[in-house]
Amino acid sequence: MNLGVIFPQTEFPPDPSAIKDYVETTEGLGFTHIGAYDHILGANRNRPGGWSGPYSHVDTFMEPFVLYSYMAALSTRLGFLTAILVLPQRQTALVAKQAGTLDILCGGRLRLGVGNGWNEVEFQALGEDFHTRGRRIEEQVEVLRRLWTEPLVSIHGRWHQIDDAGVSPLPIQRPIPIWFGGHDDRVLRRMARLGDGWLPGFRSPEEAGPGLERLAQVLEEAGRSAGDFGLEIRLGYGDGDPLSWRRQAERWKDLGATHLSLNTMRVGFKTPADHLEAMGRFAEAMRGL
């Protein structure tokens, strides 16, 4: 099982030197990858009509393609995961270009985690339709894969029109793996047909049972094997109990998790050093897993 970390960007300073320390520590501790969340805009909680989303305009989010390009220059073996990129609020050809470039810069170690998104404010500001996002993402995935594997493509879809054009250079991975976030049954069925892995938000192995059973079912219906499909779990730092981490990690591994990432946010850490120390304790607890 691959062990990674979630970049704690809502609690981390937007400081290049601090980010450099984070990357070097992550790689030095033996973690395999870094995951980062994606939000372009945050809404004001005091806006007319109010705001109840989990994040607002005061929460810090660095743009993942730019962030990872910087991190890639600081690392020789770390993988990078967008966890998740809100794909339907972005132009597909531009994502193909950005992800393809990043895949080259990081040596073919990118996984593109994608999802529908929930923040309608962002869609409005970016000029995309919030209400067609689920249907649109299917066509987007198909377009991305063709642009990553063919020098020239002609696509005449419902939302994409490309006439004999392509991106250059092509990425190292052809295609770049696409993982899906989300729990809705429509997402699971879409993921079984189009995805390379799942990024669920389960809080415990016990909670995951029905979802994993459903995943196995929809994969079988799509003619695919669960053994060839990735599963990444986020494990919260919690109260910092190494025995609890170890038990949960072992249980997740038994349930088929291929990747597990430590999330150090929302436990009261105040400084970058707090997060780095927590990562060290976790890495020590996971030795030999």
PDB file of all heavy atoms in Angstrom, residues 88 145 186 207 241:
ATOM      1  N   PRO A  88     -15.430  19.934 -14.178  1.00  0.00           N
ATOM      2  CA  PRO A  88     -16.424  20.588 -15.032  1.00  0.00           C
ATOM      3  C   PRO A  88     -16.400  22.114 -14.991  1.00  0.00           C
ATOM      4  O   PRO A  88     -17.041  22.750 -15.828  1.00  0.00           O
ATOM      5  CB  PRO A  88     -17.768  20.062 -14.492  1.00  0.00           C
ATOM      6  CG  PRO A  88     -17.431  18.825 -13.757  1.00  0.00           C
ATOM      7  CD  PRO A  88     -16.079  19.071 -13.177  1.00  0.00           C
ATOM      8  N   ARG A 145      -8.470  11.886 -22.508  1.00  0.00           N
ATOM      9  CA  ARG A 145      -7.705  10.679 -22.866  1.00  0.00           C
ATOM     10  C   ARG A 145      -7.279  10.707 -24.325  1.00  0.00           C
ATOM     11  O   ARG A 145      -6.163  10.288 -24.664  1.00  0.00           O
ATOM     12  CB  ARG A 145      -8.536   9.435 -22.552  1.00  0.00           C
ATOM     13  CG  ARG A 145      -8.651   9.178 -21.043  1.00  0.00           C
ATOM     14  CD  ARG A 145      -8.717   7.697 -20.746  1.00  0.00           C
ATOM     15  NE  ARG A 145      -8.623   7.448 -19.313  1.00  0.00           N
ATOM     16  CZ  ARG A 145      -9.663   7.207 -18.520  1.00  0.00           C
ATOM     17  NH1 ARG A 145     -10.882   7.166 -19.041  1.00  0.00           N
ATOM     18  NH2 ARG A 145      -9.490   6.993 -17.230  1.00  0.00           N
ATOM     19  N   ARG A 186     -24.568   7.507  -9.210  1.00  0.00           N
ATOM     20  CA  ARG A 186     -24.257   7.886 -10.585  1.00  0.00           C
ATOM     21  C   ARG A 186     -22.753   8.056 -10.765  1.00  0.00           C
ATOM     22  O   ARG A 186     -22.195   7.689 -11.808  1.00  0.00           O
ATOM     23  CB  ARG A 186     -24.982   9.176 -10.960  1.00  0.00           C
ATOM     24  CG  ARG A 186     -26.495   9.036 -11.084  1.00  0.00           C
ATOM     25  CD  ARG A 186     -27.163  10.389 -11.181  1.00  0.00           C
ATOM     26  NE  ARG A 186     -27.001  11.150  -9.933  1.00  0.00           N
ATOM     27  CZ  ARG A 186     -27.502  12.360  -9.719  1.00  0.00           C
ATOM     28  NH1 ARG A 186     -28.175  12.971 -10.682  1.00  0.00           N
ATOM     29  NH2 ARG A 186     -27.322  12.974  -8.571  1.00  0.00           N
ATOM     30  N   GLU A 207     -17.484   2.117   8.144  1.00  0.00           N
ATOM     31  CA  GLU A 207     -18.430   2.909   7.345  1.00  0.00           C
ATOM     32  C   GLU A 207     -18.359   2.545   5.868  1.00  0.00           C
ATOM     33  O   GLU A 207     -19.321   2.741   5.120  1.00  0.00           O
ATOM     34  CB  GLU A 207     -18.114   4.399   7.524  1.00  0.00           C
ATOM     35  CG  GLU A 207     -18.998   5.342   6.752  1.00  0.00           C
ATOM     36  CD  GLU A 207     -18.472   6.772   6.808  1.00  0.00           C
ATOM     37  OE1 GLU A 207     -17.500   7.068   6.098  1.00  0.00           O
ATOM     38  OE2 GLU A 207     -19.025   7.589   7.571  1.00  0.00           O
ATOM     39  N   ASP A 241      -2.872   8.823  17.992  1.00  0.00           N
ATOM     40  CA  ASP A 241      -2.581   7.510  18.567  1.00  0.00           C
ATOM     41  C   ASP A 241      -1.972   6.593  17.510  1.00  0.00           C
ATOM     42  O   ASP A 241      -2.674   6.146  16.593  1.00  0.00           O
ATOM     43  CB  ASP A 241      -3.856   6.895  19.125  1.00  0.00           C
ATOM     44  CG  ASP A 241      -3.629   5.513  19.730  1.00  0.00           C
ATOM     45  OD1 ASP A 241      -2.458   5.089  19.850  1.00  0.00           O
ATOM     46  OD2 ASP A 241      -4.622   4.856  20.080  1.00  0.00           O
TER      47      ASP A 241
END
